[in-house]
Amino acid sequence: MSIQLKTNRRDFLKIAATAGGGLLLGFHFSGCDSPKISVVSDEELLAQAVNYNAFLSIAPDGHVVIYSPNPELGQNIKTSFPMIVAEELDADWEKVRVMQAFLDNEKYDRQVTGGSGAMPHSWERLRKAGATARRMLIEAAAKRLNVDAGSLSTDKGMVIHAGSGKKLGYGELAKEAASIEVPEDVPLKNIKDFKIIGTPVKNVDNKAMFTGKPLYGLDIYRDGMKHAMVQRPPFGMKLKSFDADAAKGVNGITDVVTFNDNVAVVGNSTWPLMKARKLLNIQYEPIDGELESTEMHNRIFDDLLNNGKAQVMRKDGDVNAAFRNAAKIVKSEYQCPFLSHSPMEPMNFFAHVRPDGVELVGPTQTPDRAKAAAAEIAGVDPDKVTVEMTRLGGGFGRRLRADFVEEAVHVSKLVNAPVKLIWTREDDNTGGAYRPAVKYRFEAALDANNTFIGYKLKGVGLNAGNTTRENNFPSGSVDHLLIESIDYKSHITTNAWRAPITNFLAFAEQSFLDEVAEAAGKDPVQFRLELLDRAKKNPVGSIHYDVDRMRGVVEMAAEKSGWGKKQGVAQGFSVYFSHRSYVAQVAEVRMNQGNPVLEKIYAVTDCGIVVNPTGADQQVRGGMVDGMGHAMYTNMTIKNGLAEQKNFDSYRLIRMKEIPEIETHFVDNGIDPTGLGEPALPPTGGAISNAIYWATGKRLRNQPFIEQEELKEFNLGQRS
């Protein structure tokens, strides 16, 4: 699958050069307005360029800068974006740097980090930006040397005339290039000629991170700034009364304010806030009915699966007839708990509400949402709100919300001062918003020939929206299919959690497919390949995934892992399509002193062209560690409207010694890049659970694995 993006001459606009300046080529990400070219002669003028759209600049000294509009939370976009521009520009990578753009609703159309969509959205646009600037530099050099432009080539920031041996640096040509008419149709490089794309490049923020430079929201400081922490009610409760006298008596506390059932303590530093908040005497009362708990949710799940009205998401064929005439029926239920996002940097944000507007600074995946919320709370026009994005110390979907931004704005408005609001780790765990808790019921029908003829999936979740991905595999490969979803409205706040819904659904689907394969007496890999063959040759209904790409990762993963050829090791298979990409994984479990030990996982990823192998490898490994850790160890239970696991002493995350060997491979198919921040996570749990089954004979249907009755007799060990 290739993302087709069109750009034309109107995507570019230049501003006349000034004496002694460089070339600035603006680039509009929406492809519907013209970006700007200007000349920069010093850092002051360069700083002014932040008001443009995303753009490429060339300074007189030959340095190249691209302003990145997307928030950076570890997906490496601040490195991969400039790599793309530098590739088409033929820049000297040593002279390339990137800066973070502020939010600008008029000049950017996707300043969001989420859905693994930044690279597919920007790939062609960034290439066009670099290629257009390169062409203009060549034409400027042709005029100066009085030669045909076709006789010139470029390399590492130089325009070269082979006939005479003359070379001109981009910085030398920047002023003249600004007077060249912007070409309308600029050819892009053939991928076989890439010099930067496809090479391992270190994160551009590495030095700043290693040396402790102020990159994160927690680093923000402003003169006169106050600090704030908020006490929030349990889910399903509201503020009844409070007494703040003792809290106000703590040295360093300047105020205690309330808003929306929240009580905020304000002071000069964080330590007094932590002490004062414990002294707040707060009384809450229920909003309605029984306070929620995990036990309550379990009852709701079972009742809704049995009696609830479900929304039909997809229906193919005659499902009732298929099950009525089936020779064999397989049934299973799978369930997952709430999970916290647990970014290393807890929620925080800086806000300064003034009569003339609002200044916002901090880590957000959705700066436009933060801007809109601040404007509404402060009662100002959105144009009066500025948003500066810091680097995010993790997000995983938690920072798609703006609740922590709203709190900072409320407090700043109430105390009439700039405020940095900070959540503690306990706030993060008990204050939401969580991965939705979900339960699935699966049924499969096999005929007398063990052909998979019928498939049912019903999902129910708490504030989960659509609990399914109804068009994902195996849809399209089964003649009779019914997929249904039920959403239960709860007081518990939920949110997108890395690879939303599929982070658990993939485990459940891929584990159940193994159950069906076993019932049919077929090898798990061969069973999936047969289904893909059916989807290719005789598709049922619409197909929303690329059969050939999925088959490709399945076959490569089987080959790289030596599927079915190893002795003394149990292998589990899983494959999934999400966020435009395909990942197949094979987990290997070996019994050690009677206990299952996860030793290794192979991963094969098809995400199109890999821009930066270093960043891509880290994304895959990070997603897999995230996936295996939460599947195997992590649980969040609710009691009386609050999470019981308040910090990492009870909220169990994966440990370094528990991470197995990981071997990664990427499919080289030359198509435009697709998503990569999330696709490696979903298949991991299924690969591991399937391997554990073949090692122990115990089928795991709930997470986390270590708490399941099926493994009670075992100690889920670590790789030696």
Side-chain angles (χ1 to χ4, degrees):
M1 179 176 65
S2 178
I3 305 298
Q4 298 298 319
L5 301 173
K6 300 300 182 183
T7 56
N8 55 43
R9 182 175 175 179
R10 288 183 299 172
D11 288 334
F12 302 93
L13 176 69
K14 59 180 180 173
I15 297 174
T18 57
L23 170 67
L24 180 68
L25 176 61
F27 186 77
H28 196 283
F29 273 60
S30 66
C32 62
D33 241 345
S34 299
K36 303 171 177 63
I37 293 177
S38 184
V39 172
V40 291
S41 58
D42 53 35
E43 286 297 320
E44 181 179 356
L45 287 177
L46 185 61
Q48 293 173 359
V50 78
N51 296 319
Y52 292 159
N53 297 327
F55 63 88
L56 155 69
S57 69
I58 302 174
D61 64 358
H63 275 90
V64 178
V65 179
I66 182 173
Y67 276 67
S68 177
N70 294 70
E72 170 62 66
L73 55 72
Q75 80 280 35
N76 215 34
I77 211 70
K78 281 181 70 178
T79 303
S80 54
F81 269 19
M83 286 178 67
I84 298 167
V85 176
E87 179 65 72
E88 293 290 349
L89 182 64
D90 263 346
D92 181 354
W93 180 250
E94 296 300 320
K95 291 188 175 183
V96 173
R97 55 197 177 100
V98 64
M99 299 181 73
Q100 180 69 58
F102 279 41
L103 174 69
D104 194 317
N105 298 105
E106 293 183 359
K107 298 173 183 176
Y108 301 106
D109 68 332
R110 195 190 183 278
Q111 285 189 274
V112 175
T113 290
S116 301
M119 185 59 69
H121 176 269
S122 304
W123 167 252
E124 184 175 326
R125 294 179 171 93
L126 292 169
R127 294 184 69 189
K128 276 279 191 179
T132 301
R134 174 178 173 271
R135 183 62 189 176
M136 294 166 71
L137 290 160
I138 287 175
E139 292 188 14
K143 287 186 176 182
R144 182 185 292 193
L145 298 174
N146 196 26
V147 298
D148 184 77
S151 67
L152 299 174
S153 62
T154 56
D155 185 47
K156 289 189 175 182
M158 305 289 291
V159 180
I160 304 164
H161 184 241
S164 63
K166 293 181 179 180
K167 299 181 179 180
L168 295 172
Y170 285 177
E172 300 175 67
L173 297 167
K175 178 182 175 181
E176 293 168 72
S179 65
I180 302 295
E181 183 177 358
V182 178
E184 185 170 350
D185 295 311
V186 180
L188 302 178
K189 280 187 177 181
N190 190 305
I191 60 175
K192 67 179 179 60
D193 297 324
F194 285 167
K195 303 172 185 175
I196 298 174
I197 292 175
T199 63
V201 175
K202 295 179 181 178
N203 190 312
V204 295
D205 279 341
N206 272 357
K207 183 177 180 180
M209 289 189 287
F210 296 161
T211 56
K213 299 298 182 183
L215 290 173
Y216 299 93
L218 289 174
D219 297 323
I220 293 299
Y221 176 81
R222 293 286 190 276
D223 289 338
M225 180 183 78
K226 298 294 183 182
H227 297 258
M229 287 184 178
V230 173
Q231 186 64 46
R232 304 162 190 87
F235 297 112
M237 302 194 81
K238 61 183 179 180
L239 181 65
K240 182 178 181 181
S241 64
F242 76 99
D243 181 349
D245 288 346
K248 289 179 178 179
V250 174
N251 185 35
I253 296 300
T254 60
D255 214 337
V256 177
V257 296
T258 64
F259 61 94
N260 299 345
D261 291 318
N262 298 310
V263 181
V265 290
V266 185
N268 298 323
S269 63
T270 55
W271 180 239
L273 300 180
M274 296 174 72
K275 292 193 293 183
R277 194 168 61 160
K278 294 178 180 179
L279 298 176
L280 291 171
N281 184 5
I282 303 178
Q283 301 296 319
Y284 297 109
E285 59 184 353
I287 296 174
D288 55 55
E290 176 187 358
L291 288 180
E292 296 185 53
S293 67
T294 297
E295 289 75 16
M296 173 187 176
H297 296 154
N298 290 337
R299 295 196 306 268
I300 291 171
F301 283 153
D302 289 337
D303 182 59
L304 290 175
L305 283 175
N306 291 325
N307 307 306
K309 181 175 176 56
Q311 180 182 1
V312 175
M313 308 307 300
R314 176 164 175 158
K315 185 175 182 180
D316 296 329
D318 188 338
V319 178
N320 291 334
F323 277 83
R324 188 169 56 248
N325 299 322
K328 189 182 299 181
I329 294 177
V330 183
K331 297 182 179 181
S332 284
E333 293 184 356
Y334 288 76
Q335 187 167 337
C336 71
F338 289 112
L339 290 180
S340 169
H341 296 76
S342 300
M344 288 301 295
E345 179 191 26
M347 300 304 104
N348 68 89
F349 225 81
F350 171 87
H352 188 188
V353 179
R354 308 179 307 268
D356 62 339
V358 182
E359 178 191 11
L360 297 178
V361 186
T364 172
Q365 293 179 241
T366 52
D368 192 45
R369 179 176 293 178
K371 175 180 179 176
E376 182 177 354
I377 295 167
V380 301
D381 190 286
D383 291 340
K384 301 298 183 182
V385 180
T386 62
V387 184
E388 178 182 350
M389 291 169 277
T390 62
R391 188 180 179 96
L392 286 66
F396 315 112
R398 177 61 182 91
R399 287 185 162 101
L400 291 170
R401 290 173 63 91
D403 53 325
F404 49 95
V405 182
E406 294 169 8
E407 291 177 349
V409 176
H410 273 297
V411 176
S412 177
K413 181 180 179 181
L414 288 168
V415 302
N416 193 29
V419 168
K420 180 164 72 172
L421 181 132
I422 299 175
W423 291 39
T424 63
R425 179 61 59 193
E426 287 81 2
D427 292 335
D428 257 356
N429 268 29
T430 60
Y434 307 125
R435 177 186 80 171
V438 179
K439 188 169 186 176
Y440 294 104
R441 177 173 292 168
F442 293 89
E443 297 182 54
L446 301 174
D447 66 12
N449 296 319
N450 284 321
T451 301
F452 188 9
I453 60 171
Y455 179 66
K456 293 181 186 178
L457 164 60
K458 180 186 286 187
V460 57
L462 299 180
N463 295 334
N466 177 14
T467 58
T468 73
R469 292 296 178 263
E470 63 275 6
N471 293 318
N472 279 6
F473 178 79
S475 295
S477 67
V478 183
D479 291 337
H480 309 286
L481 174 145
L482 176 64
I483 297 180
E484 301 173 290
S485 179
I486 303 173
D487 188 31
Y488 174 76
K489 297 304 179 184
S490 161
H491 288 297
I492 310 293
T493 55
T494 62
N495 199 52
W497 190 97
R498 192 174 189 178
I501 298 298
T502 61
N503 54 63
F504 178 80
L505 176 61
F507 152 72
E509 287 180 334
Q510 290 297 304
S511 297
F512 183 66
L513 282 179
D514 259 36
E515 292 193 64
V516 180
E518 184 180 22
K522 297 181 179 180
D523 173 81
V525 171
Q526 190 58 40
F527 179 67
R528 288 167 173 82
L529 289 175
E530 289 176 5
L531 290 176
L532 288 171
D533 283 344
R534 290 164 63 181
K536 181 75 171 182
K537 298 173 182 176
N538 299 293
V540 181
S542 56
I543 301 289
H544 294 257
Y545 51 91
D546 189 312
V547 174
D548 293 330
R549 290 181 69 188
M550 182 171 279
R551 169 177 275 279
V553 296
V554 170
E555 292 177 337
M556 184 181 289
E559 184 267 322
K560 295 295 183 182
S561 66
W563 176 262
K565 299 177 181 178
K566 296 183 177 179
Q567 300 296 320
V569 63
Q571 294 181 311
F573 190 85
S574 181
V575 61
Y576 215 71
F577 159 66
S578 67
H579 300 89
R580 312 170 192 85
S581 294
Y582 302 78
V583 181
Q585 296 180 15
V586 175
E588 294 184 342
V589 169
R590 189 182 301 274
M591 297 301 291
N592 183 6
Q593 297 181 350
N595 295 309
V597 177
L598 177 62
E599 289 199 334
K600 185 172 183 176
I601 305 184
Y602 298 83
V604 173
T605 301
D606 179 353
C607 60
I609 294 171
V610 175
V611 175
N612 183 357
T614 297
D617 182 66
Q618 292 168 350
Q619 284 295 293
V620 170
R621 291 173 183 272
M624 293 171 68
V625 171
D626 213 1
M628 72 178 74
H630 288 91
M632 295 173 73
Y633 304 109
T634 311
N635 190 11
M636 175 165 284
T637 55
I638 305 295
K639 185 176 182 180
N640 294 326
L642 275 177
E644 294 187 280
Q645 296 76 22
K646 295 177 173 56
N647 208 320
F648 292 145
D649 59 335
S650 54
Y651 189 69
R652 172 82 152 82
L653 297 179
I654 192 169
R655 297 162 183 159
M656 290 291 289
K657 65 180 181 180
E658 293 163 342
I659 300 173
E661 180 183 355
I662 297 174
E663 182 175 314
T664 63
H665 300 272
F666 292 85
V667 175
D668 182 11
N669 55 17
I671 69 171
D672 291 352
T674 51
L676 189 55
E678 292 158 289
L681 187 153
T684 306
I688 295 171
S689 69
N690 289 332
I692 290 175
Y693 173 76
W694 291 112
T696 66
K698 305 295 184 180
R699 175 64 65 185
L700 300 173
R701 297 185 177 91
N702 299 325
Q703 294 181 359
F705 298 161
I706 60 169
E707 296 184 13
Q708 302 313 305
E709 187 69 24
E710 290 83 356
L711 290 185
K712 189 175 182 179
E713 64 184 277
F714 301 105
N715 176 23
L716 195 59
Q718 292 85 45
R719 183 170 59 91
S720 59

